[in-house]
Amino acid sequence: SFIDHSRGYEGLKIANVETGEITPLIRSDGEVRMTSCLWLNNDRLGCQMLGSSNVDGKLVGYQRFLAIDKDGENTRQLGQRATARHVGLNQFGGQLIDILPDDPEHVLMSLEQLRTSRTGSQIGSEEEGFTVQRVDVDNNRMAKIVGPIDRAAFFATDTKGEVRIFGEYSGHSDQRYGPVMELHVREPSGHGWT
């Protein structure tokens, strides 16, 4: 697979190495950029997308992760989707942190969990921060693996599906951004961070 930049837009294409045939799958509209794409398993590809939108007169960036079958069908956003119940902007819908070769139907993604409102309902959550989710690449069903950790800026795995590192910025009143990055690690299958 590759991203073609040759015609004024970005298009995801796959090439058959035996026949040389190139098949276009999707293309961006110019408002959204495909920054990287990779195979999630033998049948499905995933692409990191970046874009911006006007929110109350201000240009606000956002990030999404899109999955698509190798035949161009079953396009689905993976990660957190924006809803009316979210308190705040869903800027970071999800970032792939590990494919799981031993579990090809799932990937690990880091995403920002936003608080949800309780207006008109008893259901809501005050939890917020970055989390790691095990995500089904076909239907976007998620299971929480780590977090949420409010001060987390990123997560990393040992490439075997174990989340072993998270980073946080410090030295700034807003703990999500700052001049110093502190790394926290844990042992395999561990629960505590050092």
Side-chain angles (χ1 to χ4, degrees):
S1 67
F2 63 98
I3 300 173
D4 181 4
H5 300 274
S6 65
R7 298 189 180 191
Y9 59 83
E10 295 163 337
L12 174 62
K13 298 180 177 183
I14 58 173
N16 184 319
V17 294
E18 293 176 359
T19 66
E21 178 185 2
I22 295 175
T23 305
L25 296 183
I26 56 172
R27 71 177 201 184
S28 69
D29 60 6
E31 303 279 321
V32 177
R33 292 185 42 233
M34 275 184 248
T35 59
S36 62
C37 296
L38 69 143
W39 290 94
L40 303 176
N41 58 34
N42 289 335
D43 299 313
R44 217 144 154 73
L45 293 105
C47 294
Q48 193 72 53
M49 315 291 277
L50 297 177
S52 59
S53 127
N54 188 320
V55 177
D56 297 329
K58 295 181 181 175
L59 198 58
V60 177
Y62 63 87
Q63 170 184 340
R64 300 290 183 263
F65 193 82
L66 189 71
I68 186 168
D69 286 348
K70 66 182 178 183
D71 62 4
E73 299 295 319
N74 193 23
T75 303
R76 181 175 297 266
Q77 178 184 325
L78 298 184
Q80 180 169 270
R81 299 179 65 100
T83 72
R85 293 185 55 233
H86 283 130
V87 177
L89 293 175
N90 179 18
Q91 288 182 266
F92 307 104
Q95 180 173 4
L96 182 74
I97 62 170
D98 200 353
I99 59 172
L100 303 172
D102 294 335
D103 182 7
E105 302 306 314
H106 296 91
V107 294
L108 293 184
M109 294 182 71
S110 170
L111 57 96
E112 184 176 21
Q113 180 174 317
L114 300 172
R115 286 184 296 129
T116 54
S117 73
R118 298 174 194 253
T119 305
S121 169
Q122 294 298 316
I123 300 172
S125 173
E126 293 296 315
E127 289 188 317
E128 64 182 338
F130 280 86
T131 179
V132 175
Q133 302 277 339
R134 181 176 169 260
V135 180
D136 187 301
V137 299
D138 291 315
N139 60 31
N140 197 39
R141 286 194 184 109
M142 293 185 269
K144 189 183 305 180
I145 303 296
V146 174
I149 300 175
D150 183 48
R151 62 191 187 277
F154 78 91
F155 291 94
T157 71
D158 58 7
T159 69
K160 298 175 185 162
E162 291 281 339
V163 181
R164 301 283 307 283
I165 299 171
F166 87 84
E168 69 175 316
Y169 289 106
S170 62
H172 194 275
S173 60
D174 180 349
Q175 292 184 354
R176 293 222 180 114
Y177 307 99
V180 178
M181 172 70 72
E182 293 181 16
L183 298 179
H184 300 269
V185 297
R186 67 180 180 180
E187 295 297 319
S189 302
H191 297 287
W193 297 97
T194 60

